[in-house]
């Protein structure tokens, strides 16, 4: 078997995936060739597979360095659920247990060993590695969350600095660094600190098409909590993370949510680590649906089915926002990233920044604040703004953010623009936009009194608009190049040649303004985005949603019995596929994404039985086939002809028939008359099933019957039979008639 075939086989059998995600195959090939690699992929991109799969194909042991116990635990649980020999050693284990696991590693009983960086560089552990190297060989050293090595990253871990030592000690072992952090500075740090040698560098797009970005207004006059509660109710018990700025607001908000019947738990640094672990664990195990956390809440969440990440307070900076919001929708299914933005927060944060003593620090903080505020306030595609921060340019608008869905009209705002630009000129272009607006609106601030701007003739000439509206006009002028902004962290507006043209009335100003309409229609949000699998193309049959809920409950029971998180048993994507396709045979079950050989044998029985029970009670169809080619066409066609429902008995016949049994064999197996079995097949065909009936009616007979049907019509059987004569039976005619209906 060639290498590619081996990879493909391991992908399906060990991990249950049908095909590689973009980049995975190429990365794995480089790793298998023994080259160092550096993988930059957004969260949920599928980084883990790029070292886990090579670990299985390479002869010796793969060491994975991971910064958090929770992460290690999670990964190992998932690998073991797939029947892969993986384990971890860390401080949560007793000395005996640790020793036992280390023995297993040295004796080649384990393929992947997860370890924390501080343990890796201890004398004892290095000694173990020497032993491994001598016995079974070290295949690969993978450094997960590699940005922890950099002080410029958001999660600096000093212990990561020592990992370079391991590279020097085992120079022949290929090394891999993986991260979802995109900034240039951090990238360089990783390459140098870990001493990667001529690495293959894979940089994936940071676009996460399945995430829907949205910013909602949060002003004091508005009942934002109520809006949040409604939002959570719409999400109907699915997993949500809410971020707040302070511990106090975390406490308050989770209490309010609980009082409103939402199962929410707090998570912040003021709690004991036991309390935190407990709440996190409940969240991971789907015992609570909402976790309300401060930003500090670490990286330890690999939960793939978080359906929304909500920032109830303004995020601190764009990089952080990208990481935090990125915890939504790792499984590739649609998820929401929502910020509740109060322009007043910006002022508050600006004030805090002013208190900083270190000037450099102050400047960085100011720039960061400006960037995140620009994201919140933009009327452009939010995804464009976010990706631009990482140096990535999105060509088209995304069609999956609030701005792309909002209708805009262009309003002539020349008059207001002149006032604003004029005031900037009159205040010597030395003040921030906010001060300029205060002057226009005739505010009574210390700054205005100090600068005597209340004596200007323009003072108080712009009371007709609110601060927010003036801000919007100011920002639009900057976006359109009609006004410059200094880039020194102080953001002082400066007039340019075009500003002068506006003031002289040589140029008009049109500003996009959102049309005040109801929020985007929910159906639009349901649109499949991101990775589309052939399963998504099958329309939902009646009962699919309910069956999904049943399967979730079953998954939870199994997970609790095993003491693992439900997604370790199966991700939502698998359950959705099961609810749609309703597999009944081993073959069908194996085709469900996420079902590898280990899960096939473990879970075939409980899940198919649950499905059969549910479907039989309701007389629903099972064993639905996946369309062969993932072309969007079938959806449309199938929807045209509404399907008759199929009896469970026909379902069983169908299952035997597609396994290749003859009509006689099925009749015998089921203790039924041959004609009953044939009537099942007819029923299936009439319901739109594309069964091949050549095994029952050979091609030339089919042709003959078809010819006659075309001649005399298909309303009644008798005339057809009369033309065909005794050689042909009613059963055959019925079958052909039904089959012809399917293909029309
Ligand atoms: P990352 O580490 O990049 O955040 P993970 O490795 O945790 O991402 O993968 C995210 C999710 O995608 C996991 O649930 C994983 O099972 C799934 N996944 C990874 N590779 C594939 C693939 N080739 N096909 C389908 N699902 C995949
Ligand atoms: Zn957009």
């Amino acid at each position: 078997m060639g290498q590619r075939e081996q990879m493909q086989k391991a992908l399906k059998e060990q991990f249950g995936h049908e095909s590689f995600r973009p980049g995975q195959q190429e990365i794995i090939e480089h790793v298998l060739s023994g080259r160092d690699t550096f993988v930059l992929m957004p969260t949920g991109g599928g980084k883990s597979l790029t070292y886990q799969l090579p670990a299985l194909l390479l002869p010796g042991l793969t060491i994975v360095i991971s910064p958090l116990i929770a992460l290690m635990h999670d990964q190992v649980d998932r690998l073991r659920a797939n029947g892969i020999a993986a384990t971890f050693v860390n401080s949560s284990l007793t000395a005996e247990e640790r020793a036992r696991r280390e023995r297993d590693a040295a004796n080649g009983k384990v393929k992947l060993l997860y370890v924390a960086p501080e343990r890796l560089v201890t004398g004892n552990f290095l000694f173990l590695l020497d032993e491994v190297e001598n016995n079974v060989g070290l295949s690969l050293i993978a450094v997960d969350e590699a940005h922890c090595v950099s002080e410029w990253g958001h999660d600096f871990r000093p212990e990561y600095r020592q990992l370079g030592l391991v590279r020097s000690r085992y120079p022949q072992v290929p090394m891999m660094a993986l991260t979802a952090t995109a900034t240039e500075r951090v990238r360089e740090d990783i390459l140098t600190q870990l001493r990667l040698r001529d690495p293959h560098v894979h940089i994936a797009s940071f676009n996460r098409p399945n995430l829907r970005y949205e910013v909602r207004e949060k002003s004091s006059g508005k009942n934002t909590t109520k809006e949040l509660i409604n939002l959570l109710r719409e999400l109907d018990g699915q997993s949500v993370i809410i971020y707040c700025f302070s511990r106090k607001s975390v406490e308050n908000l989770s209490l309010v949510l609980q009082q409103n019947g939402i199962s929410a738990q707090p998570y912040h640094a003021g709690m004991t680590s036991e309390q935190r672990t407990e709440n996190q664990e409940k969240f991971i195990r789907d015992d609570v649906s909402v976790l309300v956390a401060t930003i500090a809440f670490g990286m330890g969440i690999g939960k793939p089915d978080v359906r929304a990440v909500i920032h109830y307070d303004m995020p601190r900076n764009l990089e952080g926002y990208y990481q935090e919001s990125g915890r939504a929708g790792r499984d590739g299914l649609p998820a929401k990233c929502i910020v509740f933005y109060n322009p007043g927060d910006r002022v508050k944060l600006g004030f805090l920044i002013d208190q900083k003593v270190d000037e450099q620090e102050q400047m960085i903080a100011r720039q960061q604040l400006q960037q995140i505020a620009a994201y919140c306030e933009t009327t452009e595609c939010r995804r464009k703004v976010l990706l631009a921060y990482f140096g990535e340019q999105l060509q088209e608008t995304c069609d999956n953010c609030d701005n792309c869905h909002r209708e805009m009209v262009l309003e002539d705002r020349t008059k207001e623009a002149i006032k604003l630009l004029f005031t900037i000129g009159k205040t010597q272009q030395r003040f921030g936009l906010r001060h300029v607006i205060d002057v226009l609106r005739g505010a009574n601030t210390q700054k205005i009194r100090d600068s005597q701007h209340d004596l200007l003739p323009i003072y108080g000439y712009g009371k007709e608009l609110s601060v927010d509206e003036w801000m919007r006009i100011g920002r639009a002028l900057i976006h359109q190049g009609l006004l410059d902004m200094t880039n020194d962290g102080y953001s002082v507006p400066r007039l340019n040649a075009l500003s002068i043209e506006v003031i002289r009335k040589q140029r008009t100003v049109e500003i996009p303004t959102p049309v005040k309409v109801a929020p985007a229609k929910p159906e639009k949000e349901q649109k499949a985005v991101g990775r589309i699998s052939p399963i998504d193309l099958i329309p939902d049959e009646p009962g699919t949603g309910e069956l999904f809920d049943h399967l979730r409950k079953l998954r939870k029971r199994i997970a609790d019995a095993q003491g693992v998180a439900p997604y370790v048993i199966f991700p939502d994507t698998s359950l959705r596929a099961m609810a749609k396709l309703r597999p009944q045979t081993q073959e069908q079950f194996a085709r469900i994404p996420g079902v590898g050989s280990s899960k096939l044998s473990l879970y075939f029985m409980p899940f198919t039985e649950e499905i059969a029970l549910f479907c039989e009670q309701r007389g629903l169809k099972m064993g639905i086939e996946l369309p062969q080619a993932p072309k969007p066409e079938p959806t449309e066609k199938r929807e045209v002809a509404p399907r008759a429902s199929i009896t469970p008995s026909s379902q069983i016949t169908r299952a035997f028939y597609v396994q290749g049994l003859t009509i006689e064999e099925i009749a015998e197996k089921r203790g039924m008359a041959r004609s009953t079995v044939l009537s099942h097949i007819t029923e299936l065909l009439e319901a739109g099933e594309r069964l091949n009936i050549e095994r029952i009616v050979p091609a030339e007979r089919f042709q003959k019957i078809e010819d006659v049907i075309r001649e005399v019509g298909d309303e009644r059987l008798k005339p057809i039979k009369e033309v065909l004569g005794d050689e042909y039976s009613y059963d055959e005619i019925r079958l052909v008639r039904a089959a012809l209906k399917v293909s029309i």
Side-chain angles (χ1 to χ4, degrees):
M1 206 192 302
Q3 192 184 61
R4 287 221 160 157
E5 277 173 300
Q6 267 186 344
M7 285 164 57
Q8 194 65 45
K9 189 160 176 278
L11 181 69
K12 178 62 194 162
E13 283 183 6
Q14 311 275 349
F15 296 92
H17 304 319
E18 297 309 315
S19 54
F20 287 104
R21 294 244 182 101
Q24 283 179 331
Q25 181 159 354
E26 190 195 333
I27 298 166
I28 293 172
E29 281 173 353
H30 281 288
V31 177
L32 290 176
S33 76
R35 194 162 164 195
D36 280 2
T37 39
F38 180 29
V39 178
L40 253 159
M41 255 190 201
T43 307
K47 284 185 288 300
S48 330
L49 187 87
T50 63
Y51 59 82
Q52 290 170 346
L53 196 139
L56 300 184
L57 298 185
L58 291 168
L61 178 73
T62 291
I63 303 288
V64 185
I65 292 123
S66 177
L68 286 180
I69 293 181
L71 277 182
M72 281 184 216
H73 210 103
D74 185 70
Q75 294 256 0
V76 168
D77 273 357
R78 290 211 242 177
L79 287 165
R80 298 184 75 92
N82 276 316
I84 295 168
T87 191
F88 62 81
V89 288
N90 61 33
S91 54
S92 75
L93 304 172
T94 62
E96 294 81 49
E97 177 62 15
R98 211 155 56 214
R100 197 182 60 75
R101 293 186 182 196
E102 291 180 356
R103 270 315 85 222
D104 284 352
N107 295 333
K109 288 192 190 150
V110 172
K111 291 305 289 179
L112 287 123
L113 178 63
Y114 283 72
V115 59
E118 56 273 22
R119 177 162 307 272
L120 181 74
V121 292
T122 59
N124 276 345
F125 199 84
L126 291 174
F127 184 69
L128 172 74
L129 290 189
D130 288 344
E131 212 185 329
V132 170
E133 176 70 338
N134 288 333
N135 290 353
V136 291
L138 275 172
S139 299
L140 174 67
I141 298 171
V143 182
D144 207 359
E145 312 287 351
H147 57 273
C148 293
V149 85
S150 171
E151 281 175 279
W152 294 90
H154 45 92
D155 290 308
F156 176 50
R157 300 273 303 240
E159 315 86 67
Y160 263 68
R161 281 285 157 92
Q162 297 174 2
L163 295 179
L165 293 178
V166 183
R167 159 39 42 102
S168 317
R169 193 175 166 110
Y170 307 102
Q172 73 292 357
V173 181
M175 197 152 176
M176 222 180 156
L178 307 104
T179 178
T181 306
T183 52
E184 191 60 38
R185 189 93 200 216
V186 178
R187 268 178 221 176
E188 280 169 17
D189 257 9
I190 294 173
L191 293 175
T192 50
Q193 299 274 352
L194 295 179
R195 302 182 205 163
L196 296 186
R197 263 190 322 247
D198 178 31
H200 165 71
V201 178
H202 180 91
I203 302 180
S205 163
F206 274 68
N207 188 10
R208 305 265 316 268
N210 62 314
L211 300 187
R212 184 196 164 91
Y213 297 104
E214 195 181 330
V215 177
R216 299 192 182 193
E217 185 198 2
K218 179 187 179 188
S219 56
S220 34
K222 213 171 133 216
N223 199 338
T224 312
T225 321
K226 212 169 182 177
E227 187 176 335
L228 178 68
I229 290 168
N230 286 338
L231 187 68
L232 294 173
R233 292 211 173 113
E234 273 168 39
L235 286 161
D236 193 24
Q238 304 190 84
S239 299
V240 177
I241 300 175
I242 301 178
Y243 285 111
C244 294
F245 203 72
S246 66
R247 290 177 200 181
K248 206 167 150 234
S249 44
V250 165
E251 293 281 351
N252 291 344
L253 187 63
S254 40
L255 203 65
V256 171
L257 294 180
Q258 283 164 11
Q259 284 162 352
N260 281 276
I262 289 165
S263 87
Q265 290 289 333
Y267 189 103
H268 60 70
M271 298 160 58
T272 65
S273 86
E274 290 79 40
Q275 283 172 324
R276 273 205 308 269
T277 312
E278 189 189 323
N279 286 355
Q280 178 168 331
E281 197 74 350
K282 280 190 201 155
F283 180 65
I284 287 175
R285 303 218 165 150
D286 288 346
D287 290 325
V288 302
S289 56
V290 179
L291 204 60
V292 188
T294 47
I295 311 285
F297 158 57
M299 314 160 285
I301 283 283
K303 197 173 195 320
D305 52 0
V306 174
R307 295 272 71 89
V309 170
I310 299 171
H311 281 72
Y312 199 60
D313 292 313
M314 185 180 180
R316 277 167 222 217
N317 55 56
L318 264 189
E319 162 93 39
Y321 182 63
Y322 181 82
Q323 301 302 337
E324 287 141 24
S325 61
R327 296 190 174 121
R330 272 170 181 258
D331 54 11
L333 294 173
K336 296 179 185 196
C337 305
I338 301 174
V339 177
F340 280 91
Y341 176 62
N342 180 351
D345 283 352
R346 180 187 183 164
V347 179
K348 251 189 269 167
L349 286 175
F351 182 76
L352 287 179
I353 291 170
D354 287 342
Q355 316 296 307
K356 285 189 195 280
V357 263
D358 185 323
E359 262 182 45
Q360 170 78 7
E361 224 180 274
Q362 205 178 49
M363 193 190 78
I364 293 175
R366 237 187 238 118
Q367 266 177 7
Q368 289 182 335
L369 179 61
Q370 197 178 315
Q371 285 157 343
I372 185 71
Y375 171 84
C376 294
E377 294 170 356
T378 188
T379 48
E380 282 182 80
C381 172
R382 295 208 201 268
R383 191 178 307 270
K384 262 191 185 166
V385 175
L386 194 56
L387 290 178
Y389 176 76
F390 296 111
E392 210 177 312
Q393 272 182 345
L394 195 67
Q395 291 310 323
E396 325 82 72
T397 49
C398 76
D399 207 26
N400 198 23
C401 77
D402 52 357
N403 284 342
C404 284
H405 279 194
R406 187 171 293 151
E407 270 183 71
M408 293 282 183
V409 285
L410 282 179
E411 270 181 5
D412 186 329
R413 284 304 180 93
T414 314
K415 210 173 84 208
E416 288 83 1
I418 292 175
K419 275 192 195 175
L420 190 68
L421 296 172
F422 186 76
T423 313
I424 292 170
K426 282 294 165 199
T427 52
Q428 280 78 42
Q429 311 185 47
R430 284 196 296 115
F431 294 86
L433 204 51
R434 181 59 205 254
H435 176 77
V436 174
I437 290 170
D438 282 346
V439 173
L440 257 175
R441 299 188 73 251
N444 181 15
T445 66
Q446 187 66 44
K447 217 173 183 175
I448 286 181
R449 289 192 297 274
D450 289 350
S451 55
Q452 299 197 329
H453 284 159
D454 46 350
L455 303 179
L456 291 173
I458 191 86
Y459 179 74
Y461 243 71
K463 286 188 176 146
E464 72 275 20
L465 295 184
S466 67
V467 176
D468 283 355
E469 274 170 293
W470 278 117
M471 280 300 232
R472 199 168 57 78
I473 292 170
R475 280 191 304 270
L477 290 174
I478 295 164
H479 278 310
Q480 296 182 16
L482 303 179
L483 178 64
D484 289 341
M485 189 68 111
T486 57
N487 204 9
D488 55 1
Y490 287 94
S491 316
V492 174
R494 290 272 159 84
L495 303 182
N496 61 26
L498 296 180
S499 326
I500 306 298
E501 286 183 20
V502 174
I503 295 178
R504 291 189 181 145
K505 299 195 180 161
Q506 291 161 345
R507 176 179 283 278
T508 55
V509 178
E510 290 193 325
I511 289 176
T513 308
V515 180
K516 289 229 159 49
V517 283
K521 294 171 215 87
E523 312 92 80
K524 256 202 162 162
E525 298 176 19
Q526 291 303 318
K527 193 171 65 115
V529 280
R531 292 177 279 269
I532 296 186
S533 87
I535 296 166
D536 298 330
L537 301 173
I538 301 179
D540 275 4
E541 301 273 336
T544 299
E546 211 189 323
L547 177 55
F548 175 71
D549 289 340
H550 267 70
L551 297 177
R552 276 188 78 183
K553 286 191 189 119
L554 171 67
R555 172 177 71 176
K556 175 77 177 127
R557 288 198 297 277
I558 296 176
D560 285 349
Q562 295 183 17
V564 295
Y567 61 76
V568 168
I569 307 297
F570 278 123
D572 279 6
T573 33
S574 302
L575 296 194
R576 281 194 198 287
M578 285 183 213
K580 271 192 166 183
L581 300 179
R582 303 165 189 174
Q584 287 298 296
T585 64
Q586 295 238 358
E587 207 187 0
Q588 289 164 350
F589 198 71
R591 258 182 259 137
I592 298 292
V595 177
S597 54
S598 162
K599 292 193 176 173
L600 176 64
S601 59
L602 281 172
Y603 304 126
F604 170 72
M605 287 300 283
F607 281 90
T608 49
E609 277 176 6
E610 182 80 16
I611 291 167
L613 198 69
F614 179 90
C615 292
E616 275 168 12
Q617 276 172 2
R618 291 165 183 75
L620 296 177
K621 196 166 167 277
M622 291 181 267
I624 296 163
E625 283 298 316
L626 205 55
Q628 282 306 309
K631 291 199 181 112
E633 234 177 276
T635 354
E636 320 267 324
K637 274 204 178 143
R638 273 164 181 255
E639 276 167 359
V640 177
R643 298 172 154 216
S645 62
I646 296 175
T647 59
S649 189
S650 297
Q651 276 309 309
I652 299 168
T653 294
R654 184 189 172 290
F656 285 131
Y657 185 73
V658 296
Q659 283 170 34
L661 270 65
T662 65
I663 300 299
E664 285 70 24
E665 284 168 333
I666 299 172
E668 200 192 314
K669 245 188 158 51
R670 304 199 60 197
M672 289 173 169
R674 186 176 178 278
S675 60
T676 313
V677 177
L678 283 174
S679 74
H680 289 163
I681 304 282
T682 309
E683 188 192 328
L684 291 162
L685 289 169
E686 277 169 352
E689 287 269 349
R690 284 167 192 272
L691 293 176
N692 182 355
I693 58 163
E694 227 188 288
R695 276 158 46 204
I696 316 173
V697 189
E700 62 276 25
R701 291 179 74 84
F702 189 107
Q703 190 60 56
K704 178 86 200 182
I705 300 173
E706 180 179 358
D707 288 345
V708 175
I709 288 180
R710 299 236 182 269
E711 222 181 281
V712 304
D714 69 353
E715 247 83 349
R716 291 170 53 227
L717 291 175
K718 201 149 177 240
I720 307 172
K721 172 85 167 104
E722 269 164 13
V723 180
L724 285 166
D726 282 340
E727 248 193 82
Y728 292 82
S729 71
Y730 272 110
D731 283 335
E732 274 175 302
I733 297 169
R734 266 195 214 100
L735 278 170
V736 173
R737 184 174 69 165
L740 286 173
K741 279 203 180 123
V742 176
S743 55
I744 288 166

